[in-house]
Amino acid sequence: MDIYKKSLRELAALLNSKEISSKELTKYFLERITKFDSKLNSFISINEDYANQQADKADKLIASGKNNFLTGIPIAHKDLFSTKDIFTTCGSKMLEHYLPPYDATVVKKLNDAGMISIGKTNMDEFAMGSSNESSYFGDVKNPWNLEKVPGGSSGGSASAVAARLCPVASGSDTGGSIRQPAAFCGLTGLKPTYGSVSRYGMIAYASSLDQGGPIGKSAEDCAVIFDEIKGFDKNDSTSNYQIDFKKTRMDLSKKDVNKITIGIPKEYFSQGIDEDISKIIFQAIEEFKNFGFNIKEITLPDHGYSIPAYYIIASAEASSNLSRYDGVKFGYRCKDPINLEDLYFRTRKEGFGTEVKKRIMIGTYALSSGFYDEYYMRALKIRRIIRDNFKKAFQEVDFIFSPTSPTTAFNLGEKTSNALEMYLSDIYTTPVNLAGLPAISIPVGFNNELPVGMQIIGDYFSESNILNIANYFQKETDWHNYIPEEFNHE
Ligand code: GLN
């Protein structure tokens, strides 16, 4: 039946018609993980017993007709979403044995909808990275080419969905970590507006930028998950309480498209981008034009400052958020400390990896008195300018299209010794986080047999429009249906 290829809607139909039970479906994906994941390392832990219990419950609900659309369908969660009594490591030795006492809101909402939480996916340590090479639990491989990175930091989620080891996964995006791995792995990944999805129970990296969202095979699948996880949460003081989050309706029709204008920021194509990728993005833009959408060149100046501003702000917030890992409250503790200072020093020295330490040092420096104005304040001013530039652009256009990343997936090890090059892979994604806007990455072609992603940015809380236009493209094209050959069988 090729179940691994099925969309969430198709899986729901199979479950509802009782052609397959949730128990069988869960077993099917657990077996795929056992069969294939040794090549990818996309999972940190598998919740076999828990998943089976959830599946039994789901089958009872389905039998009684009290099920929800998602009841009985497996999902994998990035290992920074707290899962009650299930290890949540955040890709770090610091939290290797951490068992959260509660579920993150995203996890709880999906559990309540009856989804099966089959495992926790690998990630860059504390979500810091663009290649999934900073995980304490080892590198993750890209299913399209096992010598390439899957992107980061949600690389485990992207790799697992791309190899069809699970139907869909959660991710988090602080500066691109949903969109960039989705692009590298030929998937669709939605970074919602800041405040759309609760951050409660998501282990914090940079709180003013972090946002959870889905990584899936299509915009349609992402919409189903987004609808379930969005909305106000009293446990997250930054979640938005004013928006009336309606169910996403994929109702963009042919007659509407000529009312829609797509902006192409000229600065995004002027330098630093691989020429072949630029060509593929323009082919996709041409297709939108042929569908009848209006295309307009726009300007988004100052976007070159996003990377420095982002790395100052994200590191500053990380240095504060990660101060809690001190060997006292929870997490790793060094052996036989001789005094309190030794406990702090050695716990953090032994518990954190290099990238995390680097960020803590940059952040502490940027926040220190004497340098605060020069770095942190300046970065905040740039953040405001970037937001204002987007605001101006959205007075002229409905969407902004750009590449998701300047290159396709690069070789494992290729950029680990050059931090700047690694950071530049987020050049098109970080401005969106700084502004707090929603954006999606969709696959639009291949370059040297590696997927190319295009980013669609929308105005605040316009997720349903973004999902709609992405879905429109996916109905007319096929790029999202390609599966890496090595994993394209039962
Ligand atoms: N690559 C970026 C960083 O390292 C973004 C990470 C993310 O979005 N979590 O900070």
Side-chain angles (χ1 to χ4, degrees):
M1 234 188 326
D2 283 351
I3 286 172
Y4 64 95
K5 291 186 182 169
K6 304 249 181 262
S7 69
L8 297 184
R9 191 161 43 88
E10 289 166 336
L11 291 175
L14 287 177
L15 286 163
N16 268 315
S17 63
K18 318 238 176 3
E19 277 167 78
I20 192 165
S21 68
S22 173
K23 195 75 181 270
E24 287 160 345
L25 194 59
T26 302
K27 183 164 172 263
Y28 176 89
F29 281 105
L30 286 170
E31 281 174 5
R32 272 187 84 78
I33 295 172
T34 313
K35 184 165 171 188
F36 292 119
D37 200 43
S38 54
K39 290 186 185 155
L40 299 169
N41 196 27
S42 60
F43 282 87
I44 292 178
S45 56
I46 308 294
N47 318 327
E48 187 164 348
D49 292 342
Y50 181 64
N52 281 324
Q53 283 166 24
Q54 281 186 311
D56 283 335
K57 247 202 243 162
D59 282 329
K60 279 190 197 126
L61 276 174
I62 294 168
S64 69
K66 288 189 195 131
N67 53 316
N68 170 306
F69 181 82
L70 286 166
T71 306
I73 300 177
I75 184 168
H77 289 298
K78 183 174 182 178
D79 210 15
L80 59 52
F81 287 95
S82 299
T83 40
K84 188 174 188 303
D85 299 328
I86 292 172
F87 287 117
T88 301
T89 67
C90 219
S92 182
K93 177 177 179 183
M94 196 54 103
L95 292 176
E96 188 177 3
H97 305 292
Y98 173 56
L99 287 171
Y102 66 95
D103 281 323
T105 298
V106 164
V107 172
K108 180 170 186 314
K109 283 184 166 181
L110 295 170
N111 280 345
D112 290 350
M115 287 198 94
I116 314 302
S117 171
I118 52 171
K120 305 292 295 288
T121 56
N122 206 340
M123 55 180 284
D124 278 304
E125 186 176 8
F126 284 99
M128 297 172 189
S130 312
S131 65
N132 226 299
E133 292 166 295
S134 76
S135 169
Y136 175 64
F137 300 91
D139 302 344
V140 178
K141 315 279 184 313
N142 188 320
W144 289 95
N145 178 336
L146 300 177
E147 276 157 30
K148 307 275 178 190
V149 303
S153 64
S154 313
S157 290
S159 169
V161 179
R164 307 304 195 255
L165 306 188
C166 54
V168 68
S170 60
S172 74
D173 193 312
T174 307
S177 283
I178 288 178
R179 290 159 287 159
Q180 188 252 25
F184 280 14
C185 292
L187 299 170
T188 303
L190 175 72
K191 180 255 171 222
T193 310
Y194 185 78
S196 282
V197 172
S198 170
R199 289 183 298 109
Y200 182 67
M202 264 172 71
I203 294 175
Y205 163 14
S207 311
S208 79
L209 300 157
D210 296 343
Q211 190 62 196
I215 296 183
K217 301 193 284 276
S218 66
E220 185 194 68
D221 282 3
C222 286
V224 176
I225 299 297
F226 176 65
D227 278 345
E228 207 61 52
I229 61 177
K230 69 191 178 186
F232 173 67
D233 177 8
K234 65 176 181 359
N235 291 325
D236 172 1
S237 60
T238 58
S239 89
N240 193 291
Y241 59 89
Q242 292 161 313
I243 299 287
D244 175 19
F245 290 98
K246 295 209 178 65
K247 193 169 164 1
T248 305
R249 289 179 47 200
M250 298 294 204
D251 54 2
L252 183 63
S253 76
K254 272 205 164 67
K255 63 178 189 343
D256 298 324
V257 302
N258 61 4
K259 295 179 210 137
I260 294 173
T261 306
I262 294 162
I264 312 297
K266 59 172 190 267
E267 295 83 358
Y268 280 39
F269 293 90
S270 57
Q271 53 173 309
I273 180 167
D274 182 310
E275 248 174 61
D276 292 335
I277 297 204
S278 176
K279 220 190 269 164
I280 291 167
I281 301 290
F282 274 108
Q283 275 164 12
I285 293 170
E286 198 56 34
E287 285 191 69
F288 276 91
K289 199 169 163 188
N290 294 338
F291 298 148
F293 291 92
N294 304 300
I295 311 288
K296 182 173 179 182
E297 188 181 89
I298 57 164
T299 170
L300 276 179
D302 313 308
H303 100 106
Y305 297 117
S306 311
I307 290 282
Y310 167 81
Y311 276 95
I312 294 290
I313 293 169
S315 302
E317 293 184 22
S319 72
S320 162
N321 273 327
L322 271 58
S323 65
R324 75 191 70 179
Y325 306 106
D326 56 6
V328 178
K329 297 189 257 321
F330 56 104
Y332 177 77
R333 175 179 295 177
C334 70
K335 282 220 166 61
D336 306 323
I338 49 170
N339 55 30
L340 190 60
E341 203 162 61
D342 185 44
L343 169 75
Y344 290 159
F345 271 127
R346 276 202 296 122
T347 294
R348 291 167 73 80
K349 180 176 169 212
E350 293 161 19
F352 288 136
T354 316
E355 187 61 31
V356 174
K357 285 178 192 156
K358 202 191 311 174
R359 309 275 181 116
I360 293 174
M361 287 198 314
I362 296 172
T364 309
Y365 181 79
L367 288 177
S368 59
S369 71
F371 295 105
Y372 182 92
D373 285 340
E374 213 169 315
Y375 293 100
Y376 186 66
M377 277 306 283
R378 234 189 240 189
L380 289 185
K381 286 178 187 164
I382 293 172
R383 183 175 196 174
R384 168 63 69 94
I385 291 169
I386 285 168
R387 196 193 67 174
D388 289 348
N389 290 343
F390 274 117
K391 273 195 167 169
K392 255 186 241 152
F394 281 121
Q395 286 169 0
E396 284 180 61
V397 297
D398 304 294
F399 298 98
I400 296 171
F401 283 12
S402 85
T404 304
S405 190
T407 65
T408 49
F410 41 87
N411 288 331
L412 283 149
E414 185 181 327
K415 299 195 178 178
T416 34
S417 56
N418 187 340
L420 189 61
E421 269 216 14
M422 183 77 91
Y423 294 175
L424 281 173
S425 63
D426 300 320
I427 185 145
Y428 304 118
T429 48
T430 49
V432 173
N433 299 74
L434 289 170
L437 290 164
I440 201 168
S441 178
I442 56 168
V444 294
F446 288 86
N447 186 30
N448 293 330
E449 294 173 29
L450 289 170
V452 174
M454 183 174 81
Q455 176 172 237
I456 302 176
I457 310 167
D459 209 344
Y460 294 101
F461 300 105
S462 69
E463 284 86 347
S464 65
N465 297 343
I466 294 178
L467 289 160
N468 248 290
I469 192 168
N471 179 55
Y472 193 95
F473 180 77
Q474 292 183 339
K475 274 198 180 145
E476 302 284 334
T477 58
D478 221 14
W479 300 115
H480 62 293
N481 288 327
Y482 286 85
I483 300 175
E485 210 175 290
E486 214 171 325
F487 304 94
N488 195 5
H489 56 91
E490 302 255 73

